[in-house]
């Protein structure tokens, strides 16, 4: 019985939902793990089974994102150059953002308004860069081209993501990736951007 | 008299030197501000007149680097495209690294071996990216091209710096910047790197 009563359906999702609500209502700093657990109808102990701290609730998706990006780079055809292998991987992660647009936008607003969370985001992006570099190595891309491609790919991801998340209307993430990729091609060729 | 006795010649440089020695000898975590001040023959109070904490001793140059980069982007001829304005700026900061090569290499070894310091480095690089973005805006480069160019420029800087700092022999920083710039041109055009 004890075992059964401790099984909580969708505990992770309930905790995430509760955390996002409280961070938006009160602010990140004013919310405790106890508050989050109470809002989710769970115990603090359950919270710590899923997350090491209240900051990580906001970064639960970064492991999955990294896994999908690495997978995307790995699966690109042998004939594909490194930058286009990374671009294909960026396109493949579109569902991660599109399937939970409201949550992603709410999270983004929180992060840009909080230095400590922005710092954690930078660390996650650096981790993505390293994972992509390793995936490119496995495709036979030598250093320092692998590192430069991966870091540039992260820049493309950031710009595409910013465009998508700031768009008040739902839009295709893939379209933002393609625009950033084409913009990269133009600026790297030394072209001046045209004014609209 | 009191005023005169408190004036310490080259206090900042002596504190930096002492900190680098102690971090290398004992490790960053095992060194206190009191240790650094004692090694430099100064007081803790003097330390805190120059640095907010023992971590910032390692990042004293980042303000100057940012200033020079922004200046370099600003001074590039009007006809220069945004990526080449950033490249010119990266070339202009070569003396910052070349004039103190041993110190820069020692510092680099420390940072790559310490997570907390790597995180601080990421924050400083993000700040460089934002400063370069703003300098490009002032040249009339619209978003999101300005942000993409700046972030890509930071990737070029990182790769050029890695190549320079890991080179066991002194080499021209400008040469590493140019190689990374040409590599960026090739990968952004979709080319596969050639194997040596």
């Amino acid at each position: 019985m004890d075992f059964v009563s401790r099984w909580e359906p969708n505990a992770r999702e309930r905790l995430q939902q509760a955390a996002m609500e409280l961070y938006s209502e009160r602010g990140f700093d004013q919310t405790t793990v106890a508050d989050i657990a109470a809002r989710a109808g769970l115990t603090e102990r359950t919270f710590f089974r899923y997350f090491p701290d209240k900051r990580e609730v906001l970064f639960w998706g970064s492991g999955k994102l990294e896994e999908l990006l690495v997978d995307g780079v790995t699966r690109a055809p042998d004939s594909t150059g490194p930058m286009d292998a990374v671009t294909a991987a960026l396109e493949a992660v579109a569902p991660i953002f599109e399937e939970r647009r409201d949550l992603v936008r709410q999270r983004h607003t929180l992060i840009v308004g909080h230095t400590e969370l922005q710092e954690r985001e930078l660390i996650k992006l650096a981790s993505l860069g390293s994972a992509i570099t390793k995936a490119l190595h496995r495709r036979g891309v030598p250093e320092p081209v692998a590192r430069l491609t991966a870091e540039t790919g992260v820049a493309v991801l950031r710009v595409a993501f910013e465009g998508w998340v700031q768009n008040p209307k739902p839009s295709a993430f893939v379209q933002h990736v393609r625009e950033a990729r084409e913009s990269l091609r133009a600026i790297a060729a030394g072209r001046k951007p045209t004014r609209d």
Side-chain angles (χ1 to χ4, degrees), chain A:
Chain A
M1 274 301 284
D2 182 55
F3 188 77
V4 171
S5 69
R6 281 174 59 199
W7 184 79
E8 300 285 356
N10 305 319
R12 185 186 297 277
E13 289 72 19
R14 283 160 61 190
L15 288 163
Q16 282 163 0
Q17 184 63 41
M20 285 303 303
E21 285 171 17
L22 289 163
Y23 295 164
S24 298
E25 287 165 25
R26 305 179 187 178
F28 177 78
D29 292 326
Q30 287 74 44
T31 302
T32 67
V33 168
D35 296 335
I36 298 167
R39 174 73 63 104
L42 297 167
T43 63
E44 280 190 69
R45 192 176 157 146
T46 300
F47 179 94
F48 288 115
R49 271 209 291 274
Y50 290 97
F51 305 104
D53 58 43
K54 68 174 182 166
R55 201 162 57 164
E56 280 298 315
V57 183
L58 291 165
F59 295 96
W60 54 275
S62 67
K64 184 72 185 164
L65 182 64
E66 186 166 312
E67 196 183 293
L68 279 176
L69 283 172
V70 166
D71 196 47
V73 170
T74 307
R75 283 183 303 119
D78 280 353
S79 59
T80 307
M83 195 66 231
D84 291 309
V86 173
T87 305
L90 297 178
E91 292 181 5
V93 302
I96 283 206
F97 303 123
E98 289 173 353
E99 283 168 8
R100 47 185 80 79
R101 181 167 176 272
D102 289 346
L103 197 65
V104 172
R105 297 187 85 206
Q106 210 177 345
R107 174 185 173 280
H108 181 72
T109 304
L110 259 173
I111 289 175
V112 296
H114 197 289
T115 305
E116 196 195 327
L117 297 176
Q118 282 181 290
E119 292 178 6
R120 177 55 55 110
E121 180 95 319
L122 290 174
I123 292 161
K124 298 290 183 182
L125 288 168
S127 167
L128 285 187
S130 295
I132 295 171
T133 302
K134 289 195 193 102
L136 289 169
H137 287 164
R138 288 192 295 271
R139 288 177 67 85
V141 180
E143 284 293 2
V145 177
R147 168 64 61 179
L148 183 62
T149 308
E151 298 293 343
T152 303
V154 171
V156 168
L157 169 62
R158 289 178 71 172
V159 166
F161 179 77
E162 284 283 330
W164 178 81
V165 83
Q166 285 171 6
N167 195 330
K169 285 181 291 191
S171 56
F173 184 75
V174 163
Q175 194 52 39
H176 291 275
V177 170
R178 287 181 190 162
E179 283 169 17
R181 172 71 183 91
E182 285 315 305
S183 182
L184 174 70
R185 192 188 301 275
I187 60 174
R191 287 206 282 280
K192 289 191 77 172
T194 49
R195 311 303 301 267
D196 295 328

